[in-house]
Amino acid sequence: QQPVQSPQAVILREGEDAVINCSSSKALYSVHWYRQKHGEAPIFLMILLKGGEQKGHDKISASFNEKKQQSSLYLTASQLSYSGTYFCGTGAYNFNKFYFGSGTKLNVKP
Amino acid sequence: GAGVSQSPSNKVTEKGKDVELRCDPISGHTALYWYRQSLGQGLEFLIYFQGNSAPDKSGLPSDRFSAERTGGSVSTLTIQRTQQEDSAVYLCASTLDSGGRKTQYFGPGTRLLVL
Protein backbone atom coordinates (compact mmCIF):
# COMPACT_ATOMS: atom_id res chain seq x y z
CA GLN A 1 0.00 0.00 0.00
CA GLN A 2 3.02 2.24 0.42
CA PRO A 3 3.72 4.16 -2.81
CA VAL A 4 7.06 3.55 -4.48
CA GLN A 5 9.37 6.48 -5.11
CA SER A 6 12.26 6.76 -7.51
CA PRO A 7 15.06 7.60 -7.55
CA GLN A 8 16.13 7.05 -3.94
CA ALA A 9 18.68 9.83 -4.13
CA VAL A 10 19.67 12.63 -6.50
CA ILE A 11 22.68 14.93 -6.51
CA LEU A 12 22.33 18.12 -8.52
CA ARG A 13 24.26 21.26 -9.21
CA GLU A 14 22.44 24.53 -8.69
CA GLY A 15 20.34 25.34 -11.72
CA GLU A 16 19.86 21.73 -12.83
CA ASP A 17 16.48 20.01 -13.10
CA ALA A 18 15.19 16.88 -11.39
CA VAL A 19 12.17 14.62 -11.59
CA ILE A 20 10.93 12.46 -8.74
CA ASN A 21 8.43 9.74 -9.47
CA CYS A 22 5.78 8.16 -7.27
CA SER A 23 3.73 5.14 -8.23
CA SER A 24 1.18 2.96 -6.55
CA SER A 25 -0.26 -0.50 -7.07
CA LYS A 26 -3.56 0.77 -5.65
CA ALA A 27 -5.90 3.40 -7.02
CA LEU A 28 -4.80 6.91 -6.17
CA TYR A 29 -7.45 9.35 -4.98
CA SER A 30 -5.07 12.19 -4.39
CA VAL A 31 -1.33 12.59 -4.10
CA HIS A 32 0.46 14.77 -1.59
CA TRP A 33 4.05 15.97 -1.87
CA TYR A 34 6.09 17.06 1.15
CA ARG A 35 9.70 18.05 1.73
CA GLN A 36 11.60 17.32 4.90
CA LYS A 37 14.90 18.87 5.87
CA HIS A 38 17.20 17.08 8.27
CA GLY A 39 15.93 17.23 11.82
CA GLU A 40 12.76 19.05 10.86
CA ALA A 41 9.14 18.09 10.30
CA PRO A 42 7.83 17.59 6.76
CA ILE A 43 6.35 20.63 5.11
CA PHE A 44 3.63 20.72 2.52
CA LEU A 45 4.42 21.33 -1.15
CA MET A 46 1.22 20.50 -3.00
CA ILE A 47 -1.78 18.20 -3.33
CA LEU A 48 -3.01 16.83 -6.62
CA LEU A 49 -6.51 15.51 -7.01
CA LYS A 50 -8.10 13.06 -9.44
CA GLY A 51 -8.56 14.40 -12.95
CA GLY A 52 -4.99 14.33 -14.16
CA GLU A 53 -4.23 17.78 -12.95
CA GLN A 54 -0.91 19.47 -12.92
CA LYS A 55 0.08 22.03 -10.37
CA GLY A 56 3.01 24.23 -9.70
CA HIS A 57 4.38 27.15 -7.85
CA ASP A 58 7.66 28.86 -8.38
CA LYS A 59 9.90 26.29 -10.06
CA ILE A 60 8.32 23.21 -8.47
CA SER A 61 5.45 21.50 -10.24
CA ALA A 62 3.79 18.12 -10.25
CA SER A 63 1.55 15.97 -12.38
CA PHE A 64 -0.89 13.22 -11.51
CA ASN A 65 -1.90 10.48 -13.91
CA GLU A 66 -4.63 8.50 -12.15
CA LYS A 67 -4.88 5.91 -14.96
CA LYS A 68 -1.23 5.02 -14.55
CA GLN A 69 -1.47 5.50 -10.77
CA GLN A 70 1.56 7.74 -10.93
CA SER A 71 2.63 11.20 -9.93
CA SER A 72 5.80 13.08 -10.74
CA LEU A 73 7.39 16.08 -9.03
CA TYR A 74 9.41 18.40 -11.25
CA LEU A 75 12.06 20.70 -9.83
CA THR A 76 13.48 23.11 -12.35
CA ALA A 77 16.50 25.38 -12.02
CA SER A 78 17.15 23.89 -8.59
CA GLN A 79 18.28 26.07 -5.72
CA LEU A 80 20.33 25.16 -2.67
CA SER A 81 17.16 25.50 -0.60
CA TYR A 82 15.61 22.60 -2.48
CA SER A 83 17.86 20.13 -0.69
CA GLY A 84 16.02 17.71 1.52
CA THR A 85 14.04 14.51 1.35
CA TYR A 86 10.89 14.52 -0.75
CA PHE A 87 7.97 12.29 0.12
CA CYS A 88 4.85 11.51 -1.83
CA GLY A 89 1.83 10.34 0.10
CA THR A 90 -1.54 8.89 -0.65
CA GLY A 91 -4.47 7.65 1.35
CA ALA A 92 -6.97 4.86 1.42
CA TYR A 93 -10.25 5.71 -0.31
CA ASN A 94 -11.70 7.19 2.87
CA PHE A 95 -8.34 8.48 4.08
CA ASN A 96 -8.54 6.64 7.36
CA LYS A 97 -5.00 5.55 6.53
CA PHE A 98 -2.26 7.49 4.83
CA TYR A 99 0.94 6.13 3.35
CA PHE A 100 4.12 7.92 2.45
CA GLY A 101 6.72 6.69 0.00
CA SER A 102 10.19 5.87 1.25
CA GLY A 103 11.47 9.26 0.15
CA THR A 104 13.90 10.72 -2.36
CA LYS A 105 16.93 12.45 -0.94
CA LEU A 106 17.84 15.49 -3.00
CA ASN A 107 21.19 17.21 -2.55
CA VAL A 108 21.75 20.44 -4.45
CA LYS A 109 25.35 21.56 -4.54
CA PRO A 110 26.74 24.99 -5.46
CA GLY B 1 -2.12 27.99 18.69
CA ALA B 2 -0.31 28.87 15.51
CA GLY B 3 0.71 25.34 14.67
CA VAL B 4 0.72 21.74 15.80
CA SER B 5 2.60 21.24 19.02
CA GLN B 6 3.96 18.04 20.50
CA SER B 7 5.38 17.22 23.88
CA PRO B 8 7.82 16.26 25.11
CA SER B 9 10.24 17.19 22.35
CA ASN B 10 12.68 14.55 23.57
CA LYS B 11 12.18 11.52 25.76
CA VAL B 12 14.75 9.07 27.01
CA THR B 13 13.38 6.04 28.80
CA GLU B 14 14.47 2.64 29.94
CA LYS B 15 13.34 -0.53 28.25
CA GLY B 16 10.12 -1.76 29.81
CA LYS B 17 8.82 1.62 30.92
CA ASP B 18 5.65 3.22 29.60
CA VAL B 19 5.69 6.54 27.77
CA GLU B 20 2.99 8.98 26.79
CA LEU B 21 3.35 11.36 23.87
CA ARG B 22 1.06 14.31 23.38
CA CYS B 23 -0.15 16.16 20.30
CA ASP B 24 -2.05 19.45 20.23
CA PRO B 25 -3.50 19.97 16.76
CA ILE B 26 -4.29 23.27 15.12
CA SER B 27 -7.53 24.64 16.50
CA GLY B 28 -10.47 23.66 14.33
CA HIS B 29 -8.70 20.79 12.60
CA THR B 30 -10.92 17.75 12.76
CA ALA B 31 -8.51 15.11 11.51
CA LEU B 32 -5.29 13.99 13.16
CA TYR B 33 -2.62 11.48 12.10
CA TRP B 34 0.21 9.83 14.03
CA TYR B 35 3.34 8.63 12.24
CA ARG B 36 6.60 7.04 13.29
CA GLN B 37 9.90 7.83 11.59
CA SER B 38 12.94 5.72 12.38
CA LEU B 39 16.36 7.19 11.74
CA GLY B 40 16.87 7.83 8.05
CA GLN B 41 13.61 6.17 7.14
CA GLY B 42 10.25 7.25 5.79
CA LEU B 43 7.07 7.98 7.69
CA GLU B 44 5.17 4.95 8.94
CA PHE B 45 1.44 5.52 9.41
CA LEU B 46 0.19 4.58 12.88
CA ILE B 47 -3.36 5.83 13.38
CA TYR B 48 -5.90 8.38 12.20
CA PHE B 49 -8.60 10.26 14.11
CA GLN B 50 -11.51 12.00 12.44
CA GLY B 51 -13.70 14.05 14.74
CA ASN B 52 -15.18 11.87 17.45
CA SER B 53 -15.25 8.70 15.33
CA ALA B 54 -13.58 5.56 16.63
CA PRO B 55 -10.18 5.18 14.97
CA ASP B 56 -8.97 2.24 12.94
CA LYS B 57 -6.17 0.80 15.07
CA SER B 58 -4.87 -1.69 12.52
CA GLY B 59 -1.85 0.50 11.71
CA LEU B 60 -0.49 0.35 15.25
CA PRO B 61 2.62 -1.88 15.24
CA SER B 62 1.72 -3.91 18.32
CA ASP B 63 -0.78 -4.08 21.16
CA ARG B 64 1.71 -2.14 23.30
CA PHE B 65 0.68 0.94 21.34
CA SER B 66 -2.55 2.77 22.01
CA ALA B 67 -3.88 6.20 21.17
CA GLU B 68 -6.79 8.34 22.10
CA ARG B 69 -8.15 11.72 21.25
CA THR B 70 -10.13 13.55 23.87
CA GLY B 71 -12.89 15.95 22.90
CA GLY B 72 -11.84 15.85 19.28
CA SER B 73 -8.73 17.87 20.06
CA VAL B 74 -5.64 16.77 22.01
CA SER B 75 -4.32 13.30 21.25
CA THR B 76 -2.03 11.04 23.23
CA LEU B 77 -0.03 8.09 21.96
CA THR B 78 0.93 5.64 24.68
CA ILE B 79 3.60 2.99 24.36
CA GLN B 80 3.63 0.39 27.10
CA ARG B 81 6.63 -1.73 28.04
CA THR B 82 8.86 0.13 25.60
CA GLN B 83 11.40 -1.78 23.55
CA GLN B 84 14.59 -0.52 21.91
CA GLU B 85 13.00 -0.86 18.47
CA ASP B 86 10.43 1.75 19.53
CA SER B 87 13.18 4.39 19.36
CA ALA B 88 12.14 6.83 16.65
CA VAL B 89 10.68 10.25 16.04
CA TYR B 90 6.91 10.26 16.53
CA LEU B 91 5.16 12.87 14.42
CA CYS B 92 1.59 13.96 14.48
CA ALA B 93 -0.17 15.96 11.80
CA SER B 94 -3.54 17.68 11.75
CA THR B 95 -5.69 18.61 8.81
CA LEU B 96 -8.82 20.62 8.32
CA ASP B 97 -10.94 17.69 7.24
CA SER B 98 -10.78 14.22 5.84
CA GLY B 99 -10.87 13.20 2.22
CA GLY B 100 -7.24 13.80 1.35
CA ARG B 101 -7.88 17.23 -0.12
CA LYS B 102 -6.29 19.19 2.67
CA THR B 103 -2.74 19.81 3.76
CA GLN B 104 -1.36 17.90 6.68
CA TYR B 105 0.38 20.22 9.11
CA PHE B 106 3.07 18.43 11.05
CA GLY B 107 4.22 19.03 14.58
CA PRO B 108 7.94 19.12 15.42
CA GLY B 109 7.88 15.53 16.66
CA THR B 110 8.87 13.72 19.82
CA ARG B 111 12.27 12.04 19.67
CA LEU B 112 12.02 8.84 21.72
CA LEU B 113 15.10 6.93 22.77
CA VAL B 114 14.68 3.64 24.58
CA LEU B 115 17.81 2.48 26.34
Side-chain angles (χ1 to χ4, degrees):
Chain A
Q1 296 184 11
Q2 182 183 28
V4 176
Q5 282 185 240
S6 63
Q8 288 186 316
V10 183
I11 299 175
L12 295 176
R13 293 283 179 192
E14 251 186 310
E16 292 181 339
D17 302 341
V19 179
I20 300 171
N21 299 303
C22 175
S23 63
S24 174
S25 59
K26 302 251 182 192
L28 295 177
Y29 299 92
S30 70
V31 178
H32 296 216
W33 286 97
Y34 292 80
R35 177 172 63 207
Q36 185 179 33
K37 291 188 180 282
H38 183 69
E40 299 179 7
I43 59 165
F44 167 78
L45 293 177
M46 63 189 77
I47 294 174
L48 298 104
L49 306 176
K50 290 180 74 171
E53 67 171 330
Q54 188 152 353
K55 269 192 174 179
H57 60 85
D58 199 11
K59 297 186 176 73
I60 300 176
S61 62
S63 62
F64 176 26
N65 186 325
E66 62 193 89
K67 278 189 178 179
K68 292 186 177 180
Q69 295 170 189
Q70 291 177 347
S71 177
S72 295
L73 186 72
Y74 306 93
L75 302 114
T76 58
S78 59
Q79 306 168 17
L80 295 176
S81 61
Y82 288 3
S83 292
T85 301
Y86 290 77
F87 293 99
C88 67
T90 185
Y93 74 96
N94 60 353
F95 286 86
N96 65 338
K97 295 178 184 177
F98 198 86
Y99 299 102
F100 283 94
S102 55
T104 296
K105 191 168 184 179
L106 182 74
N107 187 1
V108 181
K109 297 190 172 185
Chain B
V4 179
S5 60
Q6 291 186 245
S7 61
S9 53
N10 292 281
K11 177 72 178 180
V12 181
T13 190
E14 292 179 349
K15 178 181 170 181
K17 301 278 190 184
D18 298 351
V19 295
E20 191 172 278
L21 313 180
R22 176 187 168 108
C23 173
D24 276 278
I26 293 172
S27 177
H29 280 194
T30 59
L32 186 149
Y33 294 86
W34 280 100
Y35 299 95
R36 177 170 71 175
Q37 188 172 33
S38 300
L39 188 63
Q41 301 300 308
L43 294 98
E44 176 191 4
F45 168 81
L46 296 179
I47 195 167
Y48 164 77
F49 292 92
Q50 170 56 34
N52 294 317
S53 302
D56 179 340
K57 299 181 181 180
S58 61
L60 295 174
S62 79
D63 59 9
R64 297 185 294 104
F65 287 70
S66 63
E68 63 177 21
R69 189 177 184 194
T70 52
S73 181
V74 172
S75 178
T76 54
L77 178 69
T78 301
I79 310 172
Q80 295 179 309
R81 305 181 303 281
T82 52
Q83 304 293 312
Q84 287 180 333
E85 61 262 29
D86 299 334
S87 296
V89 176
Y90 289 82
L91 292 157
C92 78
S94 72
T95 182
L96 195 54
D97 63 15
S98 61
R101 293 172 177 267
K102 300 296 182 182
T103 304
Q104 292 187 32
Y105 294 90
F106 283 84
T110 292
R111 284 156 185 77
L112 175 66
L113 177 61
V114 182
L115 300 175

